[in-house]
Amino acid sequence: MPRRQLPTPPPHAPRPVRVPAESVTLDGLLGVPPDARGIVLFAHGSGSSRLSPRNTFVAEVLQRAGLATLLMDLLTEEEERVYATRFDIELLTRRLVTASRWVSETAATRRLSIGYFGASTGAAAALNAAAVLGRSIQAVVSRGGRPDLADAALPRVQAPTLLIIGGLDEEVLRLNRHAYARLTAKKELAIVPGASHLFEEPGALERVAELAAEWFGRYLAPTDQA
């Protein structure tokens, strides 16, 4: 009689955290599975939040792959209401750098190497922050990102970078091809056929999560091994 296959265990339940950044405090959800070997900080796009169902789905897949995740808002609720602030890449970058330092000083995560998962404008902040922090950041994944908004920083990014774009997202695909040429670190450009900007088509987001988990699994390792 064949053995019954056990269901996939649920990811480690994330807990709310508050991250001090400059003169404000940012809300986040921190999930740290047992024996995590790295942590992925999520930088969402304009108009989204730490509760984004798409990023939450990807975070759950990463947790099942043994990676900790930090879903966080880089802006306060008041700042998010100001349209121009949503596109203040310099501000978003500073907040992500501050959050990265908080992770490296927090007991539950300080031994974990750091990666970034950025979507839309959040991808620009992730690439900028990776350029600022250098080898402290071990990997970057962009989902439907706007790396063109970090154009000047791209040659200074040292982290292996994966750009994921939907095959139907023609304008963003063009911008990502340009950014890909500007990157000098290890890099790959992955096109998900039949997917639009939000990867809402059946199987599209699952493919994004699979690609991200493979990339982070390849490049994130405990800090004493990095």
Side-chain angles (χ1 to χ4, degrees):
M1 196 173 169
R3 293 178 62 185
R4 180 183 175 187
Q5 186 174 6
L6 296 176
T8 303
H12 185 78
R15 61 181 176 88
V17 293
R18 303 272 283 169
V19 181
E22 300 173 328
S23 60
V24 303
T25 303
L26 306 173
D27 291 314
L29 292 168
L30 177 65
V32 185
D35 301 319
R37 63 180 182 275
I39 182 168
V40 178
L41 278 63
F42 282 70
H44 60 72
S46 169
S48 187
S49 77
R50 68 190 183 284
L51 304 177
S52 159
R54 285 178 289 276
N55 282 351
T56 297
F57 174 80
V58 175
E60 290 175 351
V61 172
L62 296 183
Q63 288 168 23
R64 288 192 173 101
L67 295 166
T69 60
L70 176 60
L71 291 157
M72 62 177 299
D73 296 332
L74 297 178
L75 299 174
T76 65
E77 290 185 6
E78 294 75 16
E79 292 169 335
E80 184 67 34
R81 295 190 191 104
V82 181
Y83 183 79
T85 306
R86 298 182 190 177
F87 293 89
D88 188 339
I89 304 301
E90 183 178 340
L91 173 61
L92 298 176
T93 299
R94 292 201 310 272
R95 297 280 173 83
L96 188 55
V97 168
T98 299
S100 303
R101 289 173 176 152
W102 178 84
V103 162
S104 67
E105 295 168 358
T106 298
T109 55
R110 64 188 176 195
R111 291 182 59 81
L112 304 179
S113 56
I114 298 174
Y116 292 149
F117 183 96
S120 191
T121 50
L127 288 162
N128 266 342
V132 170
L133 295 177
R135 296 190 182 278
S136 298
I137 307 305
Q138 298 294 312
V140 176
V141 173
S142 163
R143 171 183 65 81
R146 291 290 308 276
D148 55 298
L149 298 177
D151 189 67
L154 295 178
R156 295 186 285 110
V157 174
Q158 299 180 50
T161 300
L162 173 64
L163 306 177
I164 307 174
I165 312 96
L168 302 179
D169 198 6
E170 295 180 0
E171 178 59 19
V172 172
L173 177 56
R174 182 185 67 80
L175 295 172
N176 275 260
R177 288 190 188 279
H178 172 79
Y180 183 81
R182 296 267 293 155
L183 287 165
T184 58
K186 292 180 182 178
K187 58 186 178 180
E188 287 187 19
L189 188 149
I191 300 173
V192 180
S196 57
H197 184 62
L198 296 180
F199 297 88
E200 295 175 310
E201 295 74 17
L205 194 59
E206 287 82 355
R207 181 57 179 156
V208 170
E210 179 183 78
L211 289 166
E214 193 279 332
W215 193 260
F216 289 125
R218 189 190 310 176
Y219 292 110
L220 291 187
T223 52
D224 56 359
Q225 299 177 26

